[in-house]
Amino acid sequence: MADRKLLEIKNLVTEFSTDGNVMKAVNDVSFTLNRGETIGIVGESGSGKSVTSLSVMRLIPNPPGRISNGEILFHQKDGSTKDLVKISEKEMRGIRGNDIAMIFQEPMTSLNPVFTCGDQVMEAILLHQKVSKKEAKEKTVALFKEVQLPRPEDIFNAYPHQISGGQKQRVMIAMAMSCNPSILIADEPTTALDVTVQQTILDLMLKLQREHDMGIMFITHDLGVIAELADKVVVMYKGKIVEQGPVLEIFSNPQHPYTKGLLACRPPLDVRLKRLPIVSDFMKVDDQGTIEEIEQSVTEATEKEIQTDAERKQDHEEMYAKEPVLQIKNLKTYFPLKKNFFGKVTEEVKAVDDVTFDVYPGETLGLVGESGCGKTTLGRTVLRLVDPTDGEVIFKGKPLHSMTTDELREIRKDIQIIFQDPYSSLNPRITIGEAIMEPMKVHKLYSSDKERKEKVMELLVTVGLMKDHYYRYPHEFSGGQRQRICIARALALRPQFIICDESVSALDVSVQAQVLNLLNELKRDFDFTYIFISHDLSVVKFMSDRMVVMNKGVVEEMGDADQIYSNPQTEYTKKLIAAIPKGRLEDIEASIKEKEEWHKTATAN
């Protein structure tokens, strides 16, 4: 494969200086990417995977960051080799976007909101290629067709806010592919996308790779995605590579305890677990950063937590013998799109359309579906954050749908919501202790601020944080810690019912496992009832007793979570389940065989 080498990273060190301290975000990293090959780089937030990709692109802000050691050797199409660490910024600008392109995690922040999608892709073409504006526009529309965007001409003239998340990501892929790059770096490009949209994006990237013989660096925390896409896997932990090798080898026989932990964290689809294994089940790290392995396999860790069918049946018999705590009857929530001259609605979106179901005390009801299916609107309508168009929402015999503002304020003590984005849910100007105490003050819980402060510190410990975190601000915490803070805030009023709206979708798989375990522990300790909203069917299956599958505002099917997964009744649910990255060894073997067949055919032609 010597002649196929595309990128060689040798002993790379990227460091950041803060307050006189030097932190090595990437510490002695080495790997090779070949033409037509996909390397999957996995690890938690802070492992150094994104900094590695930004180092390749020479996008490290200096100060405070710099590449202090190593080589990044880029083998160009003409046979020459350049060390990207040593070349000038002017030379790097010629390579960046042209020979090495990058797709970022969040397409909405990567696209300029004041320019149309077409203009932004055209700009990249005009910058690197000697073509006229007319030719650039034709090429842009052709690229939009190639990335399978519907109505390419319309999307050319559309602004980013006018298209969906999956469509925005395709625009970013079109921009990245506009100059036919040798290397495509994809940094968490599917993290926030539905499983079905994610599947089409992954298929598209493989298709483009084969057509252009491109090397792909795919960065993610989701090992299920890596299993479907990558040829080789690089596992990073605290700036270092702890393990790397062929994808089948890493998945079938992981050597490092951190890799074992990452593999075990994913909610399994074939068994029902009481608790998800986490990274700390496989290793301990002391104050000096030394890793001590806890000897156990992924299989052993999983087998310890399996819930039997008999246990589950008994739990459900007790639960469903009770009166429902929440009844939703023929609920409709419509949003007007167009009105005529007299103000009459002529066109509307039926976000929730005639939905009926009950939720029982102590149950977790999973609400699953693609973006736009109405699941979040349904959750907000239950809380009356959005007013229903028609129908009934009855909580413990009280009609939420017809309550006054004062009556609602009083009952909101009992029903809380945990939102998707914990950072935007917290006020950056007040400490997290004040944020958690605030609802206690509003609802006049406890007799004094001193007593409230004690209760807040108890809550922080309950959700796995420390008492002295009370005095810190939201920006001082990681994403997983911020989500724990939001859970503590939801618990502050001692609610009976909690709606979790995509509350783990943006978290690393290891942090996600910890938060899901925490929610289940709290449910057992405090007898909570949950509606758990997510587009990730594997997470919903792990959390839920029953599952409601929504599509375009209506319920596709509803029933026991395990039964729906094993025997889906509608084509829509079958499509959702088929799109879940499963990471099974037989799927990896089939993928490797299929790639080998394709390479043989391509070489013969």
Side-chain angles (χ1 to χ4, degrees), residues 323-327 358-362 394-397 496-497 529:
E323 286 293 311
V325 68
L326 183 78
Q327 294 168 286
D358 295 336
V359 188
Y360 292 83
I394 299 165
F395 176 69
K396 299 184 82 173
Q496 299 160 345
F497 196 104
T529 304

Side-chain angles (χ1 to χ4, degrees), residues 456-468:
V456 171
M457 287 183 168
E458 281 178 27
L459 281 172
L460 287 172
V461 173
T462 301
V463 299
L465 297 169
M466 292 187 288
K467 286 184 179 181
D468 62 359

Side-chain angles (χ1 to χ4, degrees), residues 5 62 64 129 214 221 408 450 484 507 519 595 599:
K5 278 183 185 171
N62 185 7
Q129 297 176 37
M214 186 171 60
H221 60 253
L408 268 176
K450 185 185 174 188
R484 287 169 186 265
L507 301 179
L519 289 169
K595 283 176 186 173
H599 277 299

Side-chain angles (χ1 to χ4, degrees), residues 460-513:
L460 287 172
V461 173
T462 301
V463 299
L465 297 169
M466 292 187 288
K467 286 184 179 181
D468 62 359
H469 286 158
Y470 180 98
Y471 304 99
R472 296 190 190 175
Y473 290 85
H475 72 271
E476 297 179 75
F477 295 90
S478 69
Q481 287 174 320
R482 281 198 287 263
Q483 198 58 283
R484 287 169 186 265
I485 293 161
C486 289
I487 292 170
R489 193 168 195 248
L491 299 181
L493 297 175
R494 298 173 298 194
Q496 299 160 345
F497 196 104
I498 298 177
I499 296 173
C500 303
D501 186 7
E502 299 274 14
S503 52
V504 296
S505 65
L507 301 179
D508 293 332
V509 68
S510 52
V511 179
Q512 174 182 280

Side-chain angles (χ1 to χ4, degrees), residues 270-328:
D270 52 346
V271 291
R272 163 75 59 170
L273 299 187
K274 299 173 193 170
R275 172 188 170 275
L276 285 172
I278 57 176
V279 170
S280 60
D281 293 338
F282 294 84
M283 65 186 220
K284 287 179 184 171
V285 184
D286 64 22
D287 294 338
Q288 282 72 46
T290 307
I291 295 170
E292 180 192 335
E293 182 170 1
I294 299 167
E295 283 289 343
Q296 71 169 335
S297 69
V298 175
T299 307
E300 285 171 337
T302 304
E303 283 175 348
K304 279 195 285 190
E305 302 296 343
I306 291 175
Q307 183 185 34
T308 65
D309 289 340
E311 288 173 323
R312 186 167 155 78
K313 188 179 177 185
Q314 186 180 345
D315 288 348
H316 283 189
E317 280 176 359
E318 291 172 10
M319 187 189 300
Y320 298 127
K322 299 172 187 174
E323 286 293 311
V325 68
L326 183 78
Q327 294 168 286
I328 293 172

Side-chain angles (χ1 to χ4, degrees), residues 137-167:
K137 181 176 180 179
E138 287 169 359
K139 183 160 187 181
T140 300
V141 173
L143 280 164
F144 284 178
K145 285 178 184 170
E146 192 176 3
V147 299
Q148 295 160 14
L149 276 166
R151 311 178 317 281
E153 290 279 0
D154 292 343
I155 286 179
F156 183 94
N157 295 312
Y159 289 89
H161 72 273
Q162 294 176 304
I163 60 177
S164 71
Q167 288 172 340

Side-chain angles (χ1 to χ4, degrees), residues 407-463:
E407 288 172 325
L408 268 176
R409 188 179 294 118
E410 185 58 33
I411 207 160
R412 280 203 179 120
K413 281 193 298 188
D414 297 326
I415 311 177
Q416 287 289 301
I417 186 166
I418 303 167
F419 293 102
Q420 177 173 359
D421 182 1
Y423 197 63
S424 60
S425 306
L426 294 166
N427 186 332
R429 295 185 197 150
I430 64 172
T431 65
I432 63 138
E434 292 174 86
I436 297 168
M437 193 195 285
E438 186 180 37
M440 294 179 179
K441 283 182 175 179
V442 170
H443 288 279
K444 297 180 174 61
L445 285 187
Y446 310 110
S447 57
S448 67
D449 277 356
K450 185 185 174 188
E451 193 179 348
R452 290 183 193 113
K453 188 174 179 179
E454 285 172 5
K455 292 295 179 185
V456 171
M457 287 183 168
E458 281 178 27
L459 281 172
L460 287 172
V461 173
T462 301
V463 299

